[in-house]
Amino acid sequence: VSLKIMKEIIKAKITQNADMISALLATGNNILVEENKDDLFYGATVDDDGVITGLNHVGRIIMEIRSEL
């Protein structure tokens, strides 16, 4: 799935649910990570020191959507 299509899917899911919008906005400017040790393209891992390993594209997409709300 291309990142553009993934963003459209995630944005549709979030914007159709007022509770999800509120929860996302409540994260403020925090960095969001899609923790997934099995998929370091869409997700990432975070170690005990807060070091993120992986591309975290889903987390980045969600943060981008949050900035557009």
Side-chain angles (χ1 to χ4, degrees), residues 43-69:
T45 61
V46 182
D47 69 15
D48 292 336
D49 295 322
V51 175
I52 299 171
T53 302
L55 297 176
N56 190 36
H57 282 296
V58 169
R60 293 171 188 264
I61 288 169
I62 294 171
M63 290 185 290
E64 187 176 328
I65 293 167
R66 178 182 62 194
S67 72
E68 295 170 359
L69 296 174

Side-chain angles (χ1 to χ4, degrees), residues 18-60:
D19 290 338
M20 287 187 76
I21 293 171
S22 295
L24 180 56
L25 292 175
T27 65
N29 290 323
N30 291 326
I31 295 172
L32 303 178
V33 177
E34 167 65 25
E35 288 201 57
N36 187 337
K37 64 181 175 73
D38 297 321
D39 184 349
L40 297 180
F41 180 79
Y42 286 111
T45 61
V46 182
D47 69 15
D48 292 336
D49 295 322
V51 175
I52 299 171
T53 302
L55 297 176
N56 190 36
H57 282 296
V58 169
R60 293 171 188 264

